[in-house]
Short mmCIF file of all heavy atoms in Angstrom, two decimals:
data_model
loop_
_atom_site.label_atom_id
_atom_site.label_comp_id
_atom_site.label_asym_id
_atom_site.label_seq_id
_atom_site.Cartn_x
_atom_site.Cartn_y
_atom_site.Cartn_z
N ARG O 1 21.98 -13.40 -1.00
CA ARG O 1 20.63 -12.83 -0.91
C ARG O 1 20.70 -11.51 -0.15
O ARG O 1 21.71 -11.20 0.49
CB ARG O 1 19.72 -13.79 -0.15
CG ARG O 1 20.21 -14.08 1.28
CD ARG O 1 19.17 -14.81 2.09
NE ARG O 1 19.66 -15.21 3.40
CZ ARG O 1 19.69 -14.42 4.47
NH1 ARG O 1 19.31 -13.15 4.37
NH2 ARG O 1 20.13 -14.89 5.63
N PRO O 2 19.62 -10.70 -0.19
CA PRO O 2 19.62 -9.50 0.65
C PRO O 2 19.63 -9.89 2.13
O PRO O 2 19.26 -11.00 2.51
CB PRO O 2 18.30 -8.81 0.29
CG PRO O 2 17.90 -9.38 -1.03
CD PRO O 2 18.41 -10.78 -1.04
N HIS O 3 20.04 -8.95 2.95
CA HIS O 3 20.01 -9.16 4.40
C HIS O 3 18.63 -8.81 4.97
O HIS O 3 18.12 -9.49 5.86
CB HIS O 3 21.08 -8.32 5.09
CG HIS O 3 21.10 -8.48 6.58
ND1 HIS O 3 20.44 -7.62 7.43
CD2 HIS O 3 21.70 -9.41 7.36
CE1 HIS O 3 20.64 -8.00 8.68
NE2 HIS O 3 21.39 -9.08 8.67
N HIS O 4 17.99 -7.75 4.44
CA HIS O 4 16.68 -7.33 4.94
C HIS O 4 16.02 -6.41 3.92
O HIS O 4 16.65 -5.92 2.99
CB HIS O 4 16.80 -6.62 6.30
CG HIS O 4 17.58 -5.34 6.24
ND1 HIS O 4 18.95 -5.31 6.37
CD2 HIS O 4 17.19 -4.04 6.07
CE1 HIS O 4 19.37 -4.05 6.27
NE2 HIS O 4 18.33 -3.27 6.10
N PHE O 5 14.72 -6.18 4.13
CA PHE O 5 13.95 -5.22 3.35
C PHE O 5 13.56 -4.03 4.22
O PHE O 5 13.46 -4.15 5.45
CB PHE O 5 12.64 -5.85 2.81
CG PHE O 5 12.83 -7.00 1.88
CD1 PHE O 5 12.26 -8.23 2.16
CD2 PHE O 5 13.57 -6.86 0.71
CE1 PHE O 5 12.42 -9.31 1.31
CE2 PHE O 5 13.73 -7.93 -0.16
CZ PHE O 5 13.16 -9.15 0.14
N THR O 6 13.32 -2.90 3.58
CA THR O 6 12.68 -1.76 4.24
C THR O 6 11.40 -1.41 3.48
O THR O 6 11.27 -1.68 2.29
CB THR O 6 13.59 -0.53 4.29
OG1 THR O 6 14.02 -0.19 2.96
CG2 THR O 6 14.81 -0.79 5.16
N LEU O 7 10.46 -0.82 4.20
CA LEU O 7 9.15 -0.47 3.66
C LEU O 7 9.06 1.04 3.49
O LEU O 7 9.45 1.79 4.39
CB LEU O 7 8.05 -0.96 4.61
CG LEU O 7 6.60 -0.62 4.28
CD1 LEU O 7 6.15 -1.33 3.01
CD2 LEU O 7 5.69 -0.99 5.44
N SER O 8 8.53 1.48 2.35
CA SER O 8 8.39 2.93 2.11
C SER O 8 7.25 3.19 1.14
O SER O 8 6.66 2.26 0.57
CB SER O 8 9.69 3.51 1.54
OG SER O 8 9.95 2.97 0.25
N ASP O 9 6.94 4.49 0.96
CA ASP O 9 5.96 4.95 -0.03
C ASP O 9 4.63 4.19 0.09
O ASP O 9 4.04 3.76 -0.91
CB ASP O 9 6.51 4.80 -1.45
CG ASP O 9 7.72 5.69 -1.69
OD1 ASP O 9 7.88 6.68 -0.97
OD2 ASP O 9 8.51 5.37 -2.58
N THR O 10 4.14 4.06 1.30
CA THR O 10 2.87 3.37 1.52
C THR O 10 1.70 4.30 1.24
O THR O 10 1.77 5.50 1.47
CB THR O 10 2.77 2.86 2.96
OG1 THR O 10 2.84 3.98 3.86
CG2 THR O 10 3.92 1.91 3.28
N SER O 11 0.62 3.73 0.74
CA SER O 11 -0.58 4.52 0.49
C SER O 11 -1.81 3.63 0.49
O SER O 11 -1.72 2.42 0.25
CB SER O 11 -0.50 5.27 -0.85
OG SER O 11 -0.50 4.36 -1.93
N ILE O 12 -2.97 4.24 0.78
CA ILE O 12 -4.26 3.56 0.74
C ILE O 12 -5.21 4.41 -0.09
O ILE O 12 -5.36 5.61 0.18
CB ILE O 12 -4.84 3.35 2.15
CG1 ILE O 12 -3.93 2.43 2.98
CG2 ILE O 12 -6.25 2.77 2.07
CD1 ILE O 12 -4.37 2.27 4.41
N THR O 13 -5.81 3.81 -1.09
CA THR O 13 -6.80 4.49 -1.93
C THR O 13 -8.15 3.83 -1.69
O THR O 13 -8.38 2.70 -2.12
CB THR O 13 -6.43 4.41 -3.42
OG1 THR O 13 -5.13 4.97 -3.61
CG2 THR O 13 -7.44 5.18 -4.27
N GLN O 14 -9.02 4.54 -0.98
CA GLN O 14 -10.32 3.98 -0.66
C GLN O 14 -11.24 3.95 -1.90
O GLN O 14 -11.08 4.73 -2.83
CB GLN O 14 -11.00 4.78 0.45
CG GLN O 14 -10.64 4.30 1.84
CD GLN O 14 -11.19 2.90 2.11
OE1 GLN O 14 -11.87 2.29 1.28
NE2 GLN O 14 -10.87 2.37 3.28
N ARG O 15 -12.18 3.00 -1.89
CA ARG O 15 -13.21 2.86 -2.91
C ARG O 15 -12.59 2.78 -4.31
O ARG O 15 -13.00 3.47 -5.25
CB ARG O 15 -14.22 4.00 -2.81
CG ARG O 15 -14.70 4.29 -1.38
CD ARG O 15 -15.99 5.05 -1.33
NE ARG O 15 -17.10 4.21 -1.82
CZ ARG O 15 -18.35 4.66 -1.98
NH1 ARG O 15 -18.65 5.92 -1.69
NH2 ARG O 15 -19.30 3.86 -2.43
N SER O 16 -11.60 1.92 -4.43
CA SER O 16 -10.84 1.83 -5.69
C SER O 16 -11.68 1.31 -6.84
O SER O 16 -11.26 1.38 -8.00
CB SER O 16 -9.61 0.95 -5.50
OG SER O 16 -9.96 -0.33 -4.99
N ASP O 17 -12.87 0.75 -6.56
CA ASP O 17 -13.75 0.29 -7.63
C ASP O 17 -14.48 1.44 -8.31
O ASP O 17 -15.08 1.26 -9.38
CB ASP O 17 -14.77 -0.71 -7.08
CG ASP O 17 -15.66 -0.10 -6.00
OD1 ASP O 17 -15.14 0.66 -5.17
OD2 ASP O 17 -16.88 -0.38 -5.99
N LEU O 18 -14.46 2.64 -7.69
CA LEU O 18 -15.19 3.79 -8.22
C LEU O 18 -14.22 4.95 -8.45
O LEU O 18 -13.86 5.67 -7.51
CB LEU O 18 -16.29 4.23 -7.25
CG LEU O 18 -17.39 3.19 -6.95
CD1 LEU O 18 -18.34 3.72 -5.90
CD2 LEU O 18 -18.14 2.81 -8.22
N PRO O 19 -13.76 5.14 -9.69
CA PRO O 19 -12.83 6.25 -9.96
C PRO O 19 -13.36 7.60 -9.50
O PRO O 19 -12.59 8.47 -9.10
CB PRO O 19 -12.66 6.20 -11.48
CG PRO O 19 -12.96 4.78 -11.85
CD PRO O 19 -14.02 4.33 -10.89
N ALA O 20 -14.69 7.77 -9.53
CA ALA O 20 -15.26 9.05 -9.12
C ALA O 20 -15.08 9.30 -7.63
O ALA O 20 -15.23 10.44 -7.16
CB ALA O 20 -16.76 9.08 -9.46
N CYS O 21 -14.74 8.24 -6.87
CA CYS O 21 -14.59 8.38 -5.42
C CYS O 21 -13.13 8.52 -4.99
O CYS O 21 -12.81 8.35 -3.81
CB CYS O 21 -15.22 7.19 -4.71
SG CYS O 21 -17.02 7.13 -4.87
N ALA O 22 -12.24 8.80 -5.93
CA ALA O 22 -10.83 9.00 -5.58
C ALA O 22 -10.73 10.10 -4.53
O ALA O 22 -11.32 11.17 -4.66
CB ALA O 22 -10.03 9.37 -6.82
N GLY O 23 -9.99 9.83 -3.49
CA GLY O 23 -9.85 10.81 -2.42
C GLY O 23 -10.78 10.58 -1.26
O GLY O 23 -10.73 11.31 -0.26
N SER O 24 -11.65 9.56 -1.36
CA SER O 24 -12.56 9.28 -0.25
C SER O 24 -11.77 8.90 0.99
O SER O 24 -10.76 8.19 0.93
CB SER O 24 -13.50 8.13 -0.63
OG SER O 24 -14.35 7.80 0.44
N THR O 25 -12.24 9.36 2.14
CA THR O 25 -11.56 9.08 3.41
C THR O 25 -12.10 7.84 4.10
O THR O 25 -11.62 7.49 5.18
CB THR O 25 -11.69 10.28 4.36
OG1 THR O 25 -13.08 10.53 4.60
CG2 THR O 25 -11.02 11.52 3.77
N PHE O 26 -13.08 7.18 3.52
CA PHE O 26 -13.68 5.99 4.12
C PHE O 26 -14.02 5.00 3.01
O PHE O 26 -13.97 5.32 1.82
CB PHE O 26 -14.97 6.36 4.89
CG PHE O 26 -16.15 6.48 3.98
CD1 PHE O 26 -17.03 5.42 3.82
CD2 PHE O 26 -16.36 7.64 3.24
CE1 PHE O 26 -18.10 5.53 2.95
CE2 PHE O 26 -17.43 7.74 2.37
CZ PHE O 26 -18.31 6.68 2.22
N GLY O 27 -14.38 3.80 3.44
CA GLY O 27 -14.88 2.81 2.51
C GLY O 27 -15.94 1.97 3.19
O GLY O 27 -16.14 2.07 4.41
N TYR O 28 -16.62 1.15 2.41
CA TYR O 28 -17.62 0.25 2.96
C TYR O 28 -17.04 -1.16 3.07
O TYR O 28 -16.23 -1.59 2.24
CB TYR O 28 -18.86 0.22 2.06
CG TYR O 28 -19.65 1.50 2.04
CD1 TYR O 28 -19.60 2.35 0.94
CD2 TYR O 28 -20.45 1.87 3.12
CE1 TYR O 28 -20.34 3.53 0.90
CE2 TYR O 28 -21.19 3.05 3.11
CZ TYR O 28 -21.13 3.87 2.00
OH TYR O 28 -21.85 5.05 1.98
N MET O 29 -17.46 -1.89 4.10
CA MET O 29 -17.08 -3.30 4.19
C MET O 29 -17.66 -4.03 2.99
O MET O 29 -18.82 -3.83 2.63
CB MET O 29 -17.63 -3.90 5.50
CG MET O 29 -17.08 -3.24 6.75
SD MET O 29 -17.79 -3.96 8.25
CE MET O 29 -17.42 -2.63 9.43
N GLY O 30 -16.83 -4.86 2.37
CA GLY O 30 -17.24 -5.55 1.16
C GLY O 30 -16.88 -4.81 -0.11
O GLY O 30 -17.13 -5.29 -1.21
N GLU O 31 -16.25 -3.63 0.02
CA GLU O 31 -15.82 -2.84 -1.13
C GLU O 31 -14.29 -2.83 -1.19
O GLU O 31 -13.63 -2.63 -0.16
CB GLU O 31 -16.34 -1.41 -1.00
CG GLU O 31 -15.97 -0.51 -2.18
CD GLU O 31 -16.49 0.91 -2.02
OE1 GLU O 31 -16.68 1.34 -0.86
OE2 GLU O 31 -16.69 1.58 -3.05
N PRO O 32 -13.70 -3.05 -2.36
CA PRO O 32 -12.24 -3.07 -2.43
C PRO O 32 -11.62 -1.70 -2.21
O PRO O 32 -12.20 -0.68 -2.58
CB PRO O 32 -11.95 -3.59 -3.85
CG PRO O 32 -13.18 -3.24 -4.63
CD PRO O 32 -14.33 -3.32 -3.67
N PHE O 33 -10.45 -1.71 -1.58
CA PHE O 33 -9.62 -0.51 -1.53
C PHE O 33 -8.19 -0.93 -1.86
O PHE O 33 -7.78 -2.07 -1.65
CB PHE O 33 -9.72 0.21 -0.19
CG PHE O 33 -9.28 -0.59 1.02
CD1 PHE O 33 -7.98 -0.52 1.50
CD2 PHE O 33 -10.19 -1.40 1.69
CE1 PHE O 33 -7.58 -1.24 2.60
CE2 PHE O 33 -9.81 -2.12 2.81
CZ PHE O 33 -8.50 -2.05 3.27
N ARG O 34 -7.44 0.00 -2.40
CA ARG O 34 -6.12 -0.31 -2.95
C ARG O 34 -5.03 0.08 -1.97
O ARG O 34 -5.01 1.21 -1.46
CB ARG O 34 -5.92 0.42 -4.28
CG ARG O 34 -4.59 0.17 -4.96
CD ARG O 34 -4.56 0.90 -6.30
NE ARG O 34 -3.28 0.82 -6.97
CZ ARG O 34 -2.29 1.69 -6.80
NH1 ARG O 34 -2.45 2.74 -6.00
NH2 ARG O 34 -1.15 1.56 -7.45
N ILE O 35 -4.11 -0.85 -1.72
CA ILE O 35 -2.91 -0.52 -0.96
C ILE O 35 -1.72 -0.56 -1.91
O ILE O 35 -1.70 -1.32 -2.88
CB ILE O 35 -2.68 -1.48 0.22
CG1 ILE O 35 -2.43 -2.92 -0.26
CG2 ILE O 35 -3.85 -1.44 1.20
CD1 ILE O 35 -1.97 -3.86 0.83
N ALA O 36 -0.75 0.29 -1.67
CA ALA O 36 0.47 0.32 -2.48
C ALA O 36 1.64 0.59 -1.55
O ALA O 36 1.51 1.29 -0.54
CB ALA O 36 0.38 1.39 -3.56
N PHE O 37 2.79 0.04 -1.90
CA PHE O 37 3.99 0.23 -1.08
C PHE O 37 5.22 -0.19 -1.87
O PHE O 37 5.10 -0.81 -2.94
CB PHE O 37 3.90 -0.58 0.22
CG PHE O 37 3.66 -2.05 0.02
CD1 PHE O 37 4.70 -2.95 -0.12
CD2 PHE O 37 2.35 -2.54 -0.03
CE1 PHE O 37 4.46 -4.30 -0.31
CE2 PHE O 37 2.10 -3.89 -0.21
CZ PHE O 37 3.16 -4.78 -0.35
N LYS O 38 6.37 0.16 -1.34
CA LYS O 38 7.64 -0.24 -1.94
C LYS O 38 8.47 -1.01 -0.92
O LYS O 38 8.45 -0.70 0.27
CB LYS O 38 8.43 0.98 -2.44
CG LYS O 38 7.84 1.63 -3.68
CD LYS O 38 8.72 2.78 -4.17
CE LYS O 38 8.15 3.40 -5.44
NZ LYS O 38 9.00 4.52 -5.93
N LEU O 39 9.17 -2.02 -1.42
CA LEU O 39 10.16 -2.74 -0.63
C LEU O 39 11.52 -2.50 -1.25
O LEU O 39 11.66 -2.53 -2.49
CB LEU O 39 9.87 -4.25 -0.62
CG LEU O 39 8.57 -4.72 0.03
CD1 LEU O 39 8.49 -6.24 -0.05
CD2 LEU O 39 8.48 -4.25 1.47
N LYS O 40 12.50 -2.23 -0.42
CA LYS O 40 13.87 -2.04 -0.90
C LYS O 40 14.77 -3.06 -0.24
O LYS O 40 14.66 -3.30 0.97
CB LYS O 40 14.37 -0.62 -0.62
CG LYS O 40 15.65 -0.27 -1.37
CD LYS O 40 15.92 1.22 -1.32
CE LYS O 40 17.12 1.59 -2.19
NZ LYS O 40 17.35 3.05 -2.21
N ALA O 41 15.65 -3.68 -1.03
CA ALA O 41 16.54 -4.72 -0.54
C ALA O 41 17.89 -4.12 -0.15
O ALA O 41 18.45 -3.29 -0.89
CB ALA O 41 16.73 -5.80 -1.60
N TRP O 42 18.44 -4.56 0.99
CA TRP O 42 19.69 -4.02 1.53
C TRP O 42 20.60 -5.16 1.97
O TRP O 42 20.13 -6.25 2.31
CB TRP O 42 19.42 -3.13 2.74
CG TRP O 42 18.48 -2.00 2.49
CD1 TRP O 42 17.12 -2.06 2.44
CD2 TRP O 42 18.83 -0.63 2.24
NE1 TRP O 42 16.58 -0.82 2.19
CE2 TRP O 42 17.62 0.08 2.07
CE3 TRP O 42 20.04 0.07 2.18
CZ2 TRP O 42 17.59 1.45 1.82
CZ3 TRP O 42 20.02 1.42 1.93
CH2 TRP O 42 18.81 2.11 1.74
N ASN O 43 21.91 -4.88 2.01
CA ASN O 43 22.81 -5.84 2.63
C ASN O 43 22.96 -5.52 4.12
O ASN O 43 22.32 -4.59 4.64
CB ASN O 43 24.16 -5.90 1.90
CG ASN O 43 25.03 -4.67 2.13
OD1 ASN O 43 24.78 -3.85 3.01
ND2 ASN O 43 26.07 -4.53 1.33
N GLN O 44 23.78 -6.28 4.82
CA GLN O 44 23.88 -6.11 6.27
C GLN O 44 24.44 -4.74 6.66
O GLN O 44 24.12 -4.22 7.73
CB GLN O 44 24.74 -7.22 6.88
CG GLN O 44 24.87 -7.13 8.39
CD GLN O 44 25.53 -8.35 9.00
OE1 GLN O 44 24.88 -9.36 9.21
NE2 GLN O 44 26.82 -8.26 9.29
#
């Protein structure tokens, strides 16, 4: 198995339910927002 993972390329897209709001710097409670990231597997 891998020894560990590393985390990279993280991002948060607020107000993901409204394409017109792409780039918003805030969101409302009860409104979805999108998180994205990458995991990379490594040996010891």
Side-chain angles (χ1 to χ4, degrees):
R1 60 169 174 83
H3 179 265
H4 63 273
F5 298 123
T6 56
L7 176 67
S8 65
D9 296 338
T10 61
S11 67
I12 297 175
T13 303
Q14 272 294 358
R15 314 200 68 185
S16 55
D17 61 319
L18 299 175
C21 292
S24 177
T25 59
F26 81 97
Y28 292 106
M29 299 179 199
E31 181 181 26
F33 61 93
R34 180 177 175 270
I35 64 170
F37 55 90
K38 288 184 178 180
L39 296 181
K40 193 167 186 177
W42 304 79
N43 72 14
Q44 181 170 279

